[in-house]
Amino acid sequence: MKCRKCSQTAVIHLPQHNTAYCEGHFNEYFLGRVQKAIKTYSMIEKNERVLVAVSGGKDSVALWHALVKLNYRCDALFLDTGMGRPRLEELQQLAESINSRFIVYDAHEDLLGLDIPRIAKLLKRPTCSVCGNVRRYLMNKFAVENGYDVVATGHNLDDEVSFLLGNILNWQEGYLTRQSPTLPKTHAKFAKKIKPLVLLTEKETYAYALLNNLPFSEEKCPFSKGASSLLYKKVLNEIELVQPGTKLRFYTGSQKFFKEEKEPVELRECAVCGYPTTEKVCSFCRMKERLKNALGEQAL
């Protein structure tokens, strides 16, 4: 198959766009899709500082690399929560090569010296739930305290449509109206949250990472086994195979449909830590309090 732009041998075929690209033109396409998402969904304004949440996987590393290539002011942050430290030396080398910063934040003090699996066991809660709560809180806190305006995460199109399908099947109206690629700043201690990869599939981010020799871990989280989102992804992949472009139409259509329904959530300051929450005490502080009680009971 030939590249659509230059007729050289293509390295990737994209049925959803009925096209194929060589390495150079695929990189151009990928960066163009990231830029389109940023512009379409008002993600980054001029001179805003961006903090990229880097887990070490292909999506977050590809996002970090792409944003630097697009000349955005961004650094990367890896939260060490006891869930593994993937290829940190190579990621530090990548930071130096692209003239960016790679920051490793040790979260063990915030988590009372425990790792996330241990916390989940003590609180009798799903590991994914605890992990998400911790990461959202600490990424926002770090961004606010270090002068970043925006927190960017590597959620791709496959992630978003699987969440969307799950929310529709279970009719989670609140989640449906809030599932946006951009969550604006609605409080002084709340950084804007964005997902610049929402117009790109997992296949595309994987190809970008490989073609640019980016260091990333291919290990899957052991706690994701059996997650309903994996089933939704499988179903959507089968539909996409027969009807290319379904995922993109599903996602972009949902954003238009729910656009009028989205209203800013009223935030208040947590009575314990002072960071934004919809409750009197934020979920992170409630979790820490429960954890202290669990550790106290264990010591008796």
Side-chain angles (χ1 to χ4, degrees):
M1 188 168 289
K2 301 296 183 180
C3 173
R4 179 182 180 180
K5 290 279 187 84
C6 66
S7 298
Q8 292 185 29
T9 302
V11 297
I12 188 169
H13 176 221
L14 303 176
Q16 71 271 33
H17 300 298
N18 192 28
T19 193
Y21 292 114
C22 66
E23 180 176 337
H25 285 119
F26 172 71
N27 280 335
E28 182 181 282
Y29 156 83
F30 187 93
L31 295 177
R33 296 297 282 178
V34 173
Q35 185 61 55
K36 181 178 180 179
I38 291 171
K39 183 177 180 180
T40 300
Y41 299 114
S42 304
M43 293 184 176
I44 307 173
E45 302 297 329
K46 187 177 180 180
N47 295 324
E48 283 187 325
R49 294 183 68 207
V50 182
L51 185 67
V52 184
V54 169
S55 64
K58 64 185 184 312
D59 300 305
S60 58
V61 176
L63 172 61
W64 176 28
H65 185 269
L67 290 178
V68 172
K69 290 296 180 183
L70 288 168
N71 297 315
Y72 288 104
R73 300 173 62 205
C74 67
D75 298 321
L77 176 67
F78 173 78
L79 283 177
D80 184 0
T81 59
M83 298 284 281
R85 297 165 62 87
R87 307 181 71 167
L88 296 188
E89 288 186 10
E90 292 174 78
L91 289 170
Q92 187 62 59
Q93 291 170 5
L94 173 62
E96 294 170 5
S97 70
I98 61 177
N99 195 28
S100 182
R101 292 179 65 208
F102 178 63
I103 306 159
V104 178
Y105 179 79
D106 189 338
H108 288 86
E109 184 175 342
D110 298 279
L111 303 177
L112 307 180
L114 303 173
D115 59 28
I116 285 179
R118 177 63 175 157
I119 292 172
K121 187 175 181 180
L122 283 168
L123 299 183
K124 299 178 182 179
R125 285 182 56 191
T127 305
C128 294
S129 174
V130 173
C131 187
N133 183 12
V134 168
R135 291 183 183 280
R136 283 190 298 271
Y137 180 87
L138 292 181
M139 285 297 302
N140 180 73
K141 186 172 184 287
F142 186 93
V144 170
E145 293 182 355
N146 290 276
Y148 292 94
D149 306 288
V150 184
V151 172
T153 58
H155 294 87
N156 59 46
L157 179 62
D158 293 82
D159 296 324
E160 292 301 293
V161 292
S162 68
F163 297 153
L164 178 59
L165 180 59
N167 287 333
I168 289 175
L169 291 175
N170 295 288
W171 208 239
Q172 301 282 354
E173 296 181 57
Y175 289 124
L176 282 168
T177 56
R178 294 196 301 271
Q179 189 180 340
S180 173
T182 303
L183 292 178
K185 182 183 179 73
T186 54
H187 189 280
K189 292 184 179 180
F190 187 79
K192 180 165 49 175
K193 309 299 188 302
I194 64 171
K195 303 173 184 177
L197 298 182
V198 292
L199 301 183
L200 289 154
T201 64
E202 188 171 349
K203 171 187 173 181
E204 291 167 316
T205 57
Y206 187 68
Y208 183 83
L210 287 179
L211 291 172
N212 288 280
N213 297 311
L214 301 181
F216 65 93
S217 173
E218 296 199 55
E219 291 183 18
K220 294 185 178 180
C221 177
F223 301 101
S224 66
K225 187 177 180 180
S228 56
S229 60
L230 298 180
L231 172 60
Y232 301 147
K233 282 187 178 182
K234 181 180 178 181
V235 170
L236 287 161
N237 283 338
E238 291 178 359
I239 297 173
E240 182 77 16
L241 192 63
V242 179
Q243 299 179 343
T246 295
K247 293 177 185 177
L248 189 58
R249 290 192 299 272
F250 187 34
Y251 181 73
T252 55
S254 74
Q255 291 305 305
K256 292 176 183 177
F257 183 81
F258 290 112
K259 186 176 182 180
E260 301 303 322
E261 301 292 331
K262 292 172 184 173
E263 296 181 1
V265 178
E266 185 178 347
L267 298 176
R268 64 178 78 178
E269 292 190 0
C270 171
V272 178
C273 70
Y275 273 82
T277 179
T278 56
E279 308 291 337
K280 183 177 180 181
V281 177
C282 74
S283 59
F284 185 82
C285 288
R286 293 200 306 271
M287 182 194 74
K288 284 187 72 172
E289 186 60 30
R290 287 184 59 203
L291 185 57
K292 289 176 183 177
N293 292 336
L295 288 171
E297 290 173 3
Q298 194 178 65
L300 294 177

